[in-house]
């Protein structure tokens, strides 16, 4: 029988793609979501891709009693914990919303895991934990973590710390924190993708919405940074590659006899500037984008990309898609939800 993997936040952007990849690899995902930041229609879309309706439960991840019941009812063999808020700006305006949901949600899942120590656990962390890496552009997992620049960043920083502390108290637990770089793109079917609530903060959704005519122009934040062309550099990773990394993480943790808390970068290993991403979008989709330069955004890291050697050696995983795939799939998705031909 297929192993059941609980995917908290499984109706969200990265969660929904991971559900699809889990099915492709023979797992049986159980989606847990309360749709506060996602749309239940994603279930129909996942159904279209995988050919059956996935198991799904409506539950607030902070509800530990319900979580315990779900663990028992479905005999859960693995957990991937995505359910969390992720808007940096909003976290500055409303920090308690972030601390109460992101931290309490994690603690609630870990409390249940403690009673089921053989069940592997994968945590959505972020490269935000590196902050502005001192003099470095390429960061590996041993690069010192920095003081986060937002409450959102603190919830990821502290999340890793909590998991590490729990491991010290019980070294039978099998846990992995995946530090995502910048996820982009959508499933090639254009049935699932990113659905930002309100005005997007992230770059590629803003680009695709501008191309769709929802915004007049993209404002590029800063043009005189000490980078290849004056704009900030990030490591943009295709969401399907990222989803595949989660499956490899579960495969790996299930294969272990002993406990662990591994921390793994998930990126492509390649830096791309904002302008390079804009130009890739224009070339790949054969269109011009209206953009202008504006002031720097406060708190922006200048340049960061992943060293991905550990992901390769530990998980046998490497990104196989590039930014051209990402900008093409993101535009295909935007067109499909806006009914643009
Ligand atoms: C940051 C975090 C990331 C986190 C994400 C959550 C870092 C390095 N990254 O991503 O871990 O998951 O927030 O939202 O801390 N830009 C524009 N114009 C726009 C939008 C963005 O020029 O309208 C630029 C930004 O200045 C930045 C780049 O595009 O240089 C990427 O920005 P964004 O997509 O918001 O991601 P990060 O800030 O890198």
């Amino acid at each position: 029988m297929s192993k059941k993997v609980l995917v908290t936040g499984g109706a969200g952007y990265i969660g929904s793609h991971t559900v699809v990849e889990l099915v492709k690899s023979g797992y049986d995902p159980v989606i847990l979501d309360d749709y506060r930041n996602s749309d239940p229609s994603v279930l129909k879309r996942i159904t279209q891709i995988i050919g059956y309706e996935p198991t799904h439960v409506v539950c607030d991840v902070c509800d530990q009693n319900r979580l315990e019941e779900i663990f028992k009812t479905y005999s859960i063999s693995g957990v991937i914990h995505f359910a969390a808020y992720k808007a940096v700006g909003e976290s500055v305006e409303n920090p308690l919303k972030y601390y109460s949901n992101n931290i309490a949600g994690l603690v609630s899942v870990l409390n249940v895991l403690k009673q089921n120590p053989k069940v592997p656990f994968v945590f959505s962390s972020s490269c935000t934990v590196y902050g502005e890496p001192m003099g470095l552009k390429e960061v590996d997992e041993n690069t010192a973590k920095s003081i986060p620049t937002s409450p959102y960043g603190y919830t990821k920083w502290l999340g890793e710390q909590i998991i590490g502390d729990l491991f010290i108290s019980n070294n039978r637990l099998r846990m992995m924190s995946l530090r995502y770089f910048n996820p982009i793109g959508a499933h090639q079917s254009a049935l699932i993708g990113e659905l930002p609530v309100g005005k997007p903060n992230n770059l590629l959704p803003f680009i695709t919405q501008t191309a769709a005519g929802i915004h007049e122009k993209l404002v590029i934040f800063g043009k005189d940074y000490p980078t290849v062309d004056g704009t900030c550099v990030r490591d943009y990773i295709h969401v399907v590659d990222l989803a595949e990394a989660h499956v490899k993480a579960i495969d790996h943790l299930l294969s272990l006899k002993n406990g662990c808390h591994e921390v793994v970068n998930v990126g492509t290993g390649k830096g791309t500037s904002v302008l390079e991403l804009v130009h890739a979008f224009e070339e790949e989709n054969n269109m011009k984008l209206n953009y202008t330069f504006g002031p720097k955004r406060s708190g922006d890291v200048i340049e960061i990309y992943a060293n991905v050697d550990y992901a390769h050696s530990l998980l046998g995983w490497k990104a196989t898609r590039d930014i051209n795939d990402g900008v093409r799939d993101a535009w295909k998705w935007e067109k499909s939800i806006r009914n643009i031909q």
Side-chain angles (χ1 to χ4, degrees):
M1 225 175 60
S2 302
K3 288 199 160 61
K4 291 196 165 28
V5 177
L6 184 68
V7 186
T8 77
Y13 174 43
I14 306 171
S16 57
H17 289 82
T18 300
V19 164
V20 169
E21 294 310 312
L22 282 167
V23 171
K24 255 172 89 176
S25 296
Y27 290 102
D28 186 6
V30 176
I31 296 174
L32 181 148
D33 213 299
D34 62 6
Y35 307 108
R36 74 178 70 179
N37 232 352
S38 58
D39 197 302
S41 65
V42 77
L43 292 173
K44 279 204 199 100
R45 292 165 167 273
I46 293 174
T47 303
Q48 271 178 273
I49 299 172
I50 65 176
Y52 71 93
E53 187 175 85
T55 308
H56 52 97
V57 283
V58 181
C59 177
D60 177 349
V61 77
C62 297
D63 184 346
Q64 198 185 309
N65 292 336
R66 260 315 289 297
L67 273 182
E68 279 169 21
E69 274 170 39
I70 291 164
F71 253 71
K72 284 200 193 104
T73 308
Y74 295 102
S75 304
I76 295 298
S77 303
V79 179
I80 305 179
H81 178 49
F82 292 108
Y85 294 130
K86 62 160 195 169
V88 175
E90 185 192 44
S91 79
V92 175
E93 280 157 30
N94 196 350
L96 295 184
K97 177 175 174 180
Y98 277 69
Y99 288 121
S100 61
N101 186 51
N102 293 12
I103 299 299
L106 172 64
V107 170
S108 158
V109 179
L110 292 178
N111 265 322
V112 182
L113 204 78
K114 230 173 82 179
Q115 301 158 36
N116 301 272
K118 288 238 160 81
V119 173
F121 174 75
V122 178
F123 174 59
S124 295
S125 190
S126 165
C127 69
T128 196
V129 300
Y130 295 115
E132 181 73 70
M134 307 288 276
L136 287 173
K137 296 169 182 168
E138 183 186 89
V139 290
D140 67 24
E141 293 79 356
N142 297 315
T143 303
K145 285 159 78 176
S146 277
I147 301 284
T149 53
S150 70
Y152 158 79
Y154 264 110
T155 66
K156 296 300 173 187
W157 194 98
L158 195 56
E160 287 190 5
Q161 182 69 31
I162 292 169
I163 296 166
D165 288 344
L166 179 63
F167 180 63
I168 291 170
S169 78
N170 182 346
N171 64 11
R172 287 181 306 153
L173 291 161
R174 293 179 281 179
M175 303 185 285
M176 192 179 297
S177 294
L178 296 182
R179 291 181 178 160
Y180 313 155
F181 283 68
N182 291 56
I184 58 165
H187 193 259
Q188 71 266 17
S189 64
L191 285 164
I192 53 173
E194 190 169 10
L195 272 178
V197 179
K199 199 171 173 183
N201 298 303
N202 294 117
L203 179 60
L204 193 51
F206 206 96
I207 291 177
T208 55
Q209 288 194 4
T210 305
I214 294 161
H215 310 292
E216 191 204 331
K217 58 184 172 225
L218 165 76
V219 179
I220 296 179
F221 303 138
K223 64 171 179 182
D224 60 356
Y225 283 108
T227 60
V228 60
D229 56 20
T231 65
C232 292
V233 171
R234 296 287 184 275
D235 186 338
Y236 294 97
I237 168 140
H238 197 290
V239 66
V240 176
D241 278 325
L242 182 53
E244 288 171 356
H246 288 80
V247 178
K248 293 282 188 188
I250 288 287
D251 287 346
H252 173 76
L253 293 174
L254 280 170
S255 75
L256 295 179
K257 285 205 180 70
N258 297 323
C260 65
H261 175 214
E262 295 282 1
V263 175
V264 183
N265 279 347
V266 187
T268 64
K270 192 174 175 302
T272 301
S273 75
V274 175
L275 263 182
E276 285 169 341
L277 195 77
V278 168
H279 291 150
F281 180 86
E282 292 183 322
E283 274 158 38
E284 189 66 31
N285 298 310
N286 208 9
M287 63 198 293
K288 280 271 158 233
L289 191 79
N290 195 12
Y291 68 85
T292 181
F293 291 95
K296 290 176 179 164
R297 183 170 72 174
S298 101
D300 255 343
V301 168
I302 300 170
E303 176 157 7
I304 188 168
Y305 50 91
N307 177 308
V308 287
D309 292 350
Y310 196 49
H312 192 222
S313 63
L314 186 76
L315 306 176
W317 171 90
K318 253 188 182 167
T320 59
R321 297 160 183 87
D322 62 17
I323 56 162
N324 295 319
D325 299 312
V327 295
R328 187 191 57 241
D329 292 338
W331 179 230
K332 201 170 154 193
W333 160 247
E334 187 76 50
K335 283 194 294 184
S336 86
I337 53 173
R338 309 280 170 204
N339 292 318
I340 299 171
Q341 292 309 310

